[in-house]
Amino acid sequence: DQQVKQNSPSLSVQEGRISILNCDYTNSMFDYFLWYKKYPAEGPTFLISISSIKDKNEDGRFTVFLNKSAKHLSLHIVPSQPGDSAVYFCAASALRNSGNTPLVFGKGTRLSVIA
Amino acid sequence: ETGVTQTPRHLVMGMTNKKSLKCEQHLGHNAMYWYKQSAKKPLELMFVYNFKEQTENNSVPSRFSPECPNSSHLFLHLHTLQPEDSALYLCASSQDYILNSPLHFGNGTRLTVT
């Protein structure tokens, strides 16, 4: 059973517009969330994270929003640029006595930014 | 050399072969990981090493055997694999396993089992 779900396999957005990538999770114990970005033939790279004590974290063009009651987070990219075209993975972990659990990843959403 | 380096980038092996994947990190991190990415599936954690000690084994079949001789190097020894083991194998490292330190991934080894 998937604990982290990215229900949109792909998304196309016009350059300059906002890209919104969504992620849902089922484990209410998750308290730390991350987004990774992956270009073809490269490994995923860390983009932005958010702790469950916050509902928003912003870093330049990238903002992550967390809605704990809905078990939903989203990544906003504005303005979108062609170089943002990649696969975006949502990941989550839960706190336990021995530290956080390993990250659980979603399947990814392929973003295409059209010039 | 920077970051996390994986070799080889591509590997084709028969079901009776024995091969090894290598990972090296130059970031001074203490934790190293093996992940598997199969088509249309999420990244799956296989193994975690923290300060050279294995801390997680995510129910991985024994035909996959990890080795971590030091904090900078991680190997995945492969033997008698099945065609369904064909996937992208990603190595990652992080500063610390206990705390929420982001993972740094290598570019992966694309494995094909024939």
Side-chain angles (χ1 to χ4, degrees):
Chain A
D1 184 36
Q2 267 191 276
Q3 296 186 68
V4 177
K5 300 176 184 178
Q6 293 178 256
N7 291 320
S8 297
S10 63
L11 174 68
S12 287
V13 172
Q14 205 75 26
E15 181 180 6
R17 301 286 188 117
I18 185 171
S19 295
I20 300 176
L21 297 108
N22 293 305
C23 178
D24 296 292
Y25 60 95
T26 57
N27 188 343
S28 57
M29 300 301 293
F30 285 148
D31 68 338
Y32 186 62
F33 305 89
L34 305 91
W35 285 94
Y36 283 81
K37 173 180 176 179
K38 185 180 185 302
Y39 292 119
E42 294 184 14
T45 55
F46 169 70
L47 194 56
I48 192 168
S49 64
I50 188 167
S51 164
S52 61
I53 62 173
K54 301 174 79 172
D55 54 21
K56 176 183 173 181
N57 189 25
E58 189 172 351
D59 183 3
R61 297 185 297 113
F62 303 90
T63 304
V64 56
F65 294 91
L66 175 63
N67 182 334
K68 289 184 288 293
S69 60
K71 296 193 182 71
H72 176 84
L73 65 155
S74 60
L75 174 68
H76 293 213
I77 306 172
V78 57
S80 300
Q81 299 173 355
D84 296 328
S85 297
V87 177
Y88 289 79
F89 293 97
C90 173
S93 72
L95 186 63
R96 58 183 178 184
N97 288 341
S98 55
N100 275 60
T101 60
L103 290 178
V104 178
F105 284 84
K107 289 185 180 180
T109 296
R110 182 177 300 279
L111 173 67
S112 300
V113 179
I114 305 158
Chain B
E1 284 279 5
T2 58
V4 180
T5 304
Q6 287 186 245
T7 55
R9 290 299 307 272
H10 300 271
L11 178 62
V12 180
M13 60 186 288
M15 291 166 59
T16 57
N17 290 160
K18 287 186 181 181
K19 296 285 184 184
S20 296
L21 309 185
K22 180 182 175 183
C23 177
E24 185 174 358
Q25 59 99 358
H26 306 272
L27 300 167
H29 288 167
N30 297 310
M32 295 188 77
Y33 310 72
W34 280 116
Y35 277 87
K36 176 184 177 182
Q37 186 179 25
S38 304
K40 297 184 181 176
K41 284 189 175 182
L43 278 162
E44 300 171 60
L45 178 68
M46 300 176 74
F47 302 103
V48 181
Y49 279 82
N50 194 37
F51 291 94
K52 300 189 298 176
E53 298 295 322
Q54 189 178 128
T55 55
E56 301 277 351
N57 176 337
N58 207 24
S59 303
V60 180
S62 59
R63 58 186 184 269
F64 295 91
S65 174
E67 179 190 359
C68 187
N70 54 62
S71 293
S72 299
H73 293 85
L74 185 65
F75 295 89
L76 188 62
H77 303 298
L78 316 170
H79 65 99
T80 59
L81 294 193
Q82 306 297 313
E84 59 264 29
D85 296 323
S86 299
L88 179 68
Y89 289 85
L90 288 160
C91 174
S93 70
S94 66
Q95 181 61 50
D96 195 294
Y97 177 56
I98 303 298
L99 302 175
N100 282 326
S101 46
L103 298 174
H104 294 252
F105 285 90
N107 289 335
T109 294
R110 174 69 63 186
L111 174 67
T112 303
V113 181
T114 60

